[in-house]
Every structure is written in structure tokens, then in C-alpha cells.
Amino acid sequence: MMLRSIKSLATSPSSHILRRGYASEAVPDRKVAVLGAAGGIGQPLALLMKLNPLVSSLALYDIANTPGVAADVGHINTRSEVSGYSGEAELGKALEGADVVIIPAGVPRKPGMTRDDLFNINAGIVKGLCQAIAKYCPHVSIEILLKQVCLYATALVNMISNPVNSTVPIAAEVLKKAGKYDEKRLFGVTTLDVVRAKTFYAGKAKVPVAEVNVPVVGGHAGITILPLFSQATPKANLSDAEITALTKRTQDGGTEVVEAKAGKGSATLSMAYAGAIFADACLKGLNGAPDVVECSYVQSTITELPFFASKVPRCFAPLSDVALVRLGKNGVEEVLGLGPLSDYEKEGLEKLKPELQSSIEKGIKFANQ
Ligand SMILES: NC(=O)c1ccc[n+]([C@@H]2O[C@H](COP(=O)([O-])OP(=O)(O)OC[C@H]3O[C@@H](n4cnc5c(N)ncnc54)[C@H](O)[C@@H]3O)[C@@H](O)[C@H]2O)c1
Ligand SMILES: O=C(O)C[C@H](O)C(=O)O
């Protein structure tokens, strides 16, 4: 959807008029910050966010090499103004006023490693970045009738850095400690699992990939990734063996890429695509679009686990209307239930819980040390 609108904008003879229209009237200004923007994911993600007409300001931050990426992406003739920030001293400026902060900062896997093997390095990176988000992203609340009413909350945080099953709980704890945690604004990006499940299902079921929908729930590592092919549409008559093979391929999709890259990192291009889809959904939600539904790893009560990926319809009110969210008339946010599961999926759900629980606890413990 996003790519279609980008394409039509870019090919329209009056595209610059449209862009001016976006900037001044129809579409609100939105700042997106990418932390880790000079990396394998960061660079193509910066490109895709530059192509998104919902973005008016694109801040690219990394510990090094960001000026070149910003200069390069900044020459593209689309709506957003691009700025590059390098080194910790500039992190505050990158984050100031951001509506959406996307975090693909951190080391990727090499063959033979699990995502959890990245914990020792990435946990510290994510902790530092979330402390900065708490400090520099806006948060204003007032007290009405002894109730704290949030007028302007922290940016929506899209966590890509692995292990997502632990980095999201780390982010939550860091933001809580700073008094800036809003569970409706922190997302583990699991969109790549959905993207893969759709691609693999379409291939097996011989249906047009553009029409395919497959929810993927749980977490983002191995067996914690639980695609619900029983709910896939368009429906196809796949055998149990085919469903098992599709499930396994989706769960091992990241490893398939890590092995094919043979030491040169993990998925970057498909991840940038998935990250751009998810950020676009966040921006649409912020802008008040109805029925924006994506799977994401969020704080949840749909199972006994405190964090869980499931379908999340987001209907964020524009920030000036946040009071309506609290009244529940607009900006209603809800974590959708899992829907009916096959016996195979029920079994998968029970199997994933201990691993997911221990990754969550590991993240919480680290953040509170
Ligand atoms: N959620 C997912 O589905 C998914 C998919 C693919 C990769 N990933 C994860 O994304 C992360 C990044 O992968 P990559 O391939 O882009 O790695 P990369 O090494 O190519 O890029 C990472 C970037 O992060 C930067 N960085 C390091 N510390 C930083 C800090 N403190 N602040 C800002 N930037 C910092 C590095 O300078 C580098 O440019 C990895 O942890 C990887 O496992 C997640
Ligand atoms: O597999 C990885 O290490 C990266 C990412 O989580 C993926 O699913 O591709």
C-alpha cells in the first residue's frame, strides 16, 4: 500500500504540487528518527522512509558515518528534510520532536549464533538509546481531578535490534524508570516474520502474494515465532506436512539469510522493507487513519506472558486529541486476541512460552541492574 502511494506520487506529473499540498495542508508534519542509520538495515530503511510522503523530517543518527548517508538520501526529491547526526553528543538533536523512533542499532548475527548471543552487546546499546529517548523525546502531562492526563507522550518506538524478545522489555524498563513508559507506544518490530510467512505461503498455496494475509504471533526468535497458517487467507488446502514445513521455514527465515550471507550479517533489505511497512502503519495510526492493523511484539495480556506479538490495531489520535483517547471515543487501542488456533498452533503456543518468558525476564533483569 505504502509503496503504491509512493510510486503514484513519484510518477505523477504534478508530484511537486502534491508534495507541497502534503507539506502545508492534508498531511501533518511528522518527524521520524532512525537510530543506527548507517548500518545494513539503517541505510535502505532511511531510503524507504525518505520515499514515504507521511514523513516531513527524517533524522538519521549513528555513532559514525551518518553525514554521508544523510547527504546521499537527502538529494532525493521527496517531501522530507533529511538531517544526519553522528556521535552521542548529537543524539538529543536527532530525537527532539520525533513522532516515531526506529531502532536498528546493534550487531547482527553470524552463522552458528542465536539472536540471544547478541544480548551482551545489544542490550547495552538499546538501554543507552532508550535513556536518551526518555530524556529528549517530548512528554507532557497534567493533573486533572487527581488523575495524570497525558497530553503529549514519548515518540512511538519501533524496536528492531535483536534479541527483540529481550530488547523490548529492556526498553520498557528503562522508560518506566524515567517515568516515560507508555505501553501503547513501544513496539517490537516482528513485521519481517509476517512478510516471510506471506511470501512462503503464497509460494506453497499458489495464490497471489499481494492478496495473502498471515498473522504471526509470539516473539521474534526460533520457536517463539508462531505463524498462524490456519488463519491464512486466501484459504488453501495444504497438508499437515506442508503447514509444518511452512512454519519451520518462517521460524528459521532469519537463519536462512544469515547462512546465505556466510558471515556478512543478517537480513537487511527485507528488514528495511518490513521496518518501513511498520513505521508507515505507525504514522498512519498517528494521523488518525482507521483500521490500521499490524502484528507487533507489545506489552500484552492475551497470554500469561507480559510481552507477546499479536495483531495490534492502532488508532492513535493526533497528539492534540489525546484526551479523546482517554475517553475512549477516538484513538482506541486494543490488543486483539489470537483467534481460533489449530491443535498444531496450540501446541506451538505452549512450547514457546518458557523461552519467551525467560528472554523477557533476562531483559528486565538487565535493565534493572
Ligand atoms: N527485528 C528484526 O526482524 C530484525 C531483522 C534483521 C536484523 N535485526 C537486527 O537489527 C540489528 C542491526 O542489524 P544490521 O544488519 O543493520 O547491523 P549493522 O552492523 O549493519 O548496523 C548496525 C548499525 O548500528 C550502529 N550502532 C552501533 N551502536 C550504536 C549506538 N549506540 N547508537 C546508534 N547506532 C549504533 C552501527 O554503527 C551500525 O551502523 C541487529 O541487532 C540485527 O540482529 C532485526
Ligand atoms: O535472524 C536474524 O538474526 C536477524 C533477524 O532477526 C531476522 O529475522 O532476519
Side-chain angles (χ1 to χ4, degrees):
M1 184 68 105
M2 177 189 80
L3 292 179
R4 203 165 50 229
S5 63
I6 288 164
K7 202 169 160 204
S8 58
L9 190 67
T11 52
S12 158
S14 57
S15 60
H16 74 283
I17 297 170
L18 265 175
R19 274 198 306 276
R20 274 196 306 181
Y22 267 121
S24 56
E25 301 147 25
V27 179
D29 284 347
R30 292 288 175 205
K31 175 172 172 177
V32 172
V34 181
L35 313 184
I41 296 167
Q43 292 199 36
L45 181 57
L47 168 65
L48 292 173
M49 295 320 294
K50 178 68 176 122
L51 299 184
N52 189 320
L54 300 181
V55 183
S56 58
S57 167
L58 182 59
L60 303 179
Y61 172 80
D62 205 303
I63 45 176
N65 302 327
T66 348
V69 180
D72 190 355
V73 169
H75 286 187
I76 296 169
N77 61 324
T78 55
R79 178 189 176 199
S80 51
E81 297 286 335
V82 179
S83 39
Y85 301 94
S86 227
E88 241 180 275
E90 299 193 355
L91 178 54
K93 273 189 273 168
L95 289 171
E96 247 166 33
D99 296 289
V100 177
V101 178
I102 315 175
I103 312 185
V107 290
R109 280 201 284 164
K110 289 191 188 322
M113 292 171 84
T114 66
R115 291 176 183 83
D116 188 58
D117 292 334
L118 306 172
F119 187 97
N120 287 346
I121 298 179
N122 290 354
I125 292 175
V126 163
K127 188 174 178 185
L129 292 174
C130 290
Q131 283 164 338
I133 290 170
K135 185 166 173 195
Y136 295 109
C137 289
H139 182 99
V140 178
S141 61
I142 54 165
E143 205 177 276
I144 300 176
L145 298 174
L146 299 177
K147 266 191 163 180
Q148 206 66 22
V149 176
C150 183
L151 293 179
Y152 206 72
T154 39
L156 304 191
V157 178
N158 293 185
M159 182 66 70
I160 292 174
S161 312
N162 269 318
V164 167
N165 290 355
S166 302
T167 53
V168 171
I170 291 173
E173 290 303 301
V174 169
L175 294 169
K176 267 183 216 166
K177 272 192 178 175
K180 301 286 172 71
Y181 181 53
D182 178 346
E183 75 272 16
K184 305 237 171 5
R185 293 180 170 260
L186 174 61
F187 304 90
V189 181
T190 56
T191 321
L192 183 52
D193 301 319
V194 177
V195 164
R196 286 177 177 142
K198 286 179 174 180
T199 304
F200 303 156
Y201 179 83
K204 190 60 85 185
K206 309 234 176 322
V207 291
V209 71
E211 289 170 24
V212 171
N213 268 311
V214 187
V216 182
V217 301
H220 177 69
I223 62 158
T224 72
I225 300 168
L226 184 62
L228 303 181
F229 287 113
S230 68
Q231 296 175 23
T233 53
K235 288 271 170 237
N237 218 357
L238 299 180
S239 67
D240 289 353
E242 284 171 317
I243 295 291
T244 304
L246 278 177
T247 302
K248 181 126 185 50
R249 189 165 180 211
T250 306
Q251 291 173 333
D252 294 343
T255 307
E256 188 177 318
V257 178
V258 168
E259 280 169 4
K261 290 199 174 181
K264 296 270 191 291
S266 55
T268 52
L269 304 174
S270 52
M271 181 58 236
Y273 170 77
I277 296 271
F278 191 73
D280 181 65
C282 286
L283 290 164
K284 286 188 176 130
L286 277 175
N287 291 351
D291 301 325
V292 183
V293 177
E294 291 289 336
C295 288
S296 179
Y297 180 62
V298 293
Q299 184 174 317
S300 155
T301 53
I302 59 169
T303 68
E304 63 273 33
L305 297 166
F307 289 89
F308 200 81
S310 63
K311 277 195 268 183
V312 190
R314 291 178 311 281
C315 239
F316 302 107
L319 290 175
S320 58
D321 278 341
V322 169
L324 290 179
V325 175
R326 296 192 65 83
L327 292 171
K329 284 186 184 161
N330 194 10
V332 178
E333 300 158 30
E334 175 197 7
V335 179
L336 289 179
L338 295 178
L341 304 187
S342 67
D343 288 346
Y344 176 66
E345 291 160 356
K346 280 182 196 154
E347 209 180 293
L349 178 61
E350 289 316 308
K351 274 195 197 142
L352 72 81
K353 286 179 181 172
E355 180 179 330
L356 193 49
Q357 179 74 47
S358 101
S359 302
I360 293 167
E361 281 165 10
K362 188 171 174 179
I364 293 174
K365 188 167 166 218
F366 172 85
N368 289 307
Q369 273 166 19

